[in-house]
């Protein structure tokens, strides 16, 4: 501690000494320049060159070196510049008036420079405080971000664990109810059979919710394996399987080839959700149709999926991409409300986004933007029936 204080004192003395050394150097320089120009200027403006010396001394050294430069300049002028050179002479009345003006201007310069130095010091302190505040704020933001990331990971892990653990009891409920109905169905009263059936349906819906939640949680935990994927062919395959599984008719119009870069498994999940949406919300008595197109924008690919379904009111647009949000009753259109939420998460993981346009009764168009894409070659679309 003592060594630190001693070093600080020495540093202060060195700083002060450098200020007075600068004052001596600048004042002597001004004296030498004025002495060399003595024949050209004669008795005019003897003190003029000393004012810049005072300014430099006060700016870099402070008030003390500035005042020292004032008196040193006056002394050197009286000793060297005002004849006779052998002794100190303040000259005639003109020289004395010039000397008085020199003192007046020089002290004013020192005062102004001192004020500016103080303002500069205040600005530097304010800048340092602002930088420290910014650093503190950035540290707090990073800390809060880490805490939020940890909380999100814990929440996602909790959702995954809960969803995974719920699958077994849910299946057990459905299986045991089916056993009861098969083994004792003839001996059960009709009201009891109906209640068991309702319990079975509710358990099946719970199972669907658990599966959907597991899929949503897996999207957050799974890594992203980027590869070239023919999205058009993927849509055709998924549409064929969905149409066969639901016993529905689905016409798909797609580009013959649409190569994108992304995780094939996740893109399949997104496409399944969009295709299932087109089939589920189709108009009754009309074959479902899904028209696929794409557009290149800089390094992104925007793929559109237009259906001919019932559409939706755009005032609810903010809800359709949220988990478990539905615009229709289960009795009218079955589902759990997780399909488009999965699409939104998949788009986000591919540095993209998803949005939709729709008019009630005239179908809907969903746009899937995938970022960081390679150039895509356009081919004429062809009709595929699934």
């Amino acid at each position: 501690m003592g060594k630190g204080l001693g070093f600080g004192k020495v540093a202060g003395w060195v700083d002060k000494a450098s200020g007075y050394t600068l004052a001596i150097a600048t004042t002597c320089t001004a004296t030498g320049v004025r002495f060399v120009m003595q024949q050209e200027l004669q008795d005019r403006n003897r003190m003029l060159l000393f004012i810049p010396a005072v300014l430099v001394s006060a700016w870099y050294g402070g008030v003390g070196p500035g005042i020292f430069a004032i008196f040193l300049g006056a002394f050197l002028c009286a000793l060297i510049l005002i004849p006779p050179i052998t002794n100190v002479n303040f000259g005639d009345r003109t020289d004395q008036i010039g000397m008085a003006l020199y003192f007046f201007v020089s002290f004013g310069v020192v005062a102004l420079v001192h004020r500016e130095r103080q303002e500069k010091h205040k600005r530097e302190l304010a800048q340092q405080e602002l930088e420290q505040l910014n650093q503190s704020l950035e540290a707090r933001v990073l800390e809060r971000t880490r805490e939020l990331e940890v909380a999100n990971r814990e929440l996602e892990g909790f959702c995954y664990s809960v969803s995974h653990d719920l699958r077994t009891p849910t299946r057990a409920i459905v299986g045991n109810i089916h056993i009861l109905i098969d083994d004792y169905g003839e001996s059960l009263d009709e009201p009891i059979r109906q209640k068991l059936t309702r319990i079975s349906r509710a358990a099946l819906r719970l199972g669907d919710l658990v599966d959907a939640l597991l899929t949503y949680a897996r999207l957050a935990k799974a890594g992203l394996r980027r590869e070239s994927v023919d999205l058009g062919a993927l849509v055709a395959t998924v549409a064929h399987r969905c149409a066969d599984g639901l016993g529905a008719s689905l016409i798909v119009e797609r580009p013959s080839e649409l190569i994108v870069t992304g995780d094939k498994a996740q893109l399949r999940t997104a496409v399944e959700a969009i295709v299932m949406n087109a089939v589920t919300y189709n108009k009754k008595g009309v074959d479902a149709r899904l028209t696929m197109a794409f557009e290149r924008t800089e390094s992104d690919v925007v793929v559109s999926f237009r259906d001919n379904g019932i559409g939706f009111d755009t005032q609810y647009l903010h809800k359709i991409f949220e988990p478990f949000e539905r615009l229709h009753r289960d009795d009218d259109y079955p589902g759990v409300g997780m399909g488009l939420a999965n699409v939104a998460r998949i788009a986000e993981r591919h540095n993209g986004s998803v949005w939709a346009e729709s008019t009630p009764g005239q179908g809907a168009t969903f746009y899937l933007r995938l970022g960081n894409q390679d150039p895509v070659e356009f081919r004429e679309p062809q009709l595929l029936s699934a």
Side-chain angles (χ1 to χ4, degrees), residues 187-208:
S187 62
L188 294 176
D189 295 335
E190 184 62 24
I192 296 178
R193 288 175 56 88
Q194 292 178 356
K195 290 179 181 178
L196 289 175
T197 301
R198 285 199 297 270
I199 293 174
S200 177
R201 289 176 180 173
L204 286 173
R205 175 167 173 75
L206 177 60
D208 292 339

Side-chain angles (χ1 to χ4, degrees), residues 166-381:
L166 284 176
R167 298 184 74 182
T168 300
T170 302
R171 290 174 178 175
I173 293 172
V174 175
N176 285 311
I177 289 175
H178 286 169
I179 292 173
L180 285 174
I181 294 176
D182 292 340
D183 294 348
Y184 304 100
E186 296 180 357
S187 62
L188 294 176
D189 295 335
E190 184 62 24
I192 296 178
R193 288 175 56 88
Q194 292 178 356
K195 290 179 181 178
L196 289 175
T197 301
R198 285 199 297 270
I199 293 174
S200 177
R201 289 176 180 173
L204 286 173
R205 175 167 173 75
L206 177 60
D208 292 339
L209 288 171
V210 169
D211 290 339
L213 189 58
L214 266 175
T215 301
Y216 190 74
R218 286 194 185 106
L219 290 175
K221 295 172 68 68
L224 191 67
R225 181 181 178 184
R226 299 179 67 85
E227 59 181 309
S228 294
V229 180
D230 187 347
L231 197 61
L234 187 63
V235 169
T237 302
V238 170
H240 181 76
R241 189 176 69 251
C242 291
D244 288 347
L246 297 175
S249 177
L250 175 61
I251 300 174
V252 177
E253 183 179 355
R254 66 175 180 87
S256 56
E257 185 179 80
L258 173 52
I259 304 298
V260 300
T261 304
D263 188 293
K264 187 174 183 178
Q266 294 188 18
L267 292 176
R268 183 187 298 275
T269 301
V271 167
E272 286 177 351
I274 294 175
V275 171
M276 287 296 297
N277 202 70
V279 175
T280 302
Y281 296 100
N282 185 43
K283 298 176 184 177
K284 294 182 179 181
V286 179
D287 290 340
R289 178 181 292 273
L290 185 65
T291 303
M292 181 181 175
F294 71 91
E295 181 180 356
R296 184 77 177 182
T297 59
E298 296 181 357
S299 63
D300 300 342
V301 173
V302 179
V303 186
S304 64
F305 302 86
R306 188 177 74 252
D307 62 45
N308 62 337
I310 62 174
F312 61 90
D313 194 336
T314 53
Q315 68 174 320
Y316 302 112
L317 183 61
H318 64 285
K319 297 179 62 176
I320 64 174
F321 297 108
E322 295 295 326
F324 302 112
E325 289 286 355
R326 306 200 64 223
L327 304 183
H328 306 278
R329 298 186 308 168
D330 291 342
D331 295 339
D332 298 330
Y333 299 97
V336 295
M338 287 296 295
L340 294 179
N342 288 335
V343 175
R345 172 161 283 191
I346 292 169
E348 181 181 353
R349 298 208 64 192
H350 284 76
N351 299 317
S353 59
V354 63
W355 67 96
E357 298 174 353
S358 179
T359 300
Q362 299 182 19
T365 303
F366 293 90
Y367 298 91
L368 176 63
R369 182 177 66 84
L370 304 174
N372 300 332
Q373 296 294 303
D374 297 328
V376 178
E377 182 181 356
F378 178 76
R379 301 281 184 88
E380 289 295 329

Side-chain angles (χ1 to χ4, degrees), residues 80-115:
I80 298 174
L81 299 181
I82 299 177
I85 299 177
T86 55
N87 58 359
V88 176
N89 183 18
F90 291 98
D92 56 14
R93 185 175 182 82
T94 302
D95 292 327
Q96 294 171 2
I97 293 175
M99 188 77 69
L101 290 175
Y102 162 72
F103 277 106
F104 177 78
V105 173
S106 297
F107 277 108
V109 167
V110 171
L112 291 175
V113 169
H114 176 65
R115 178 180 176 182

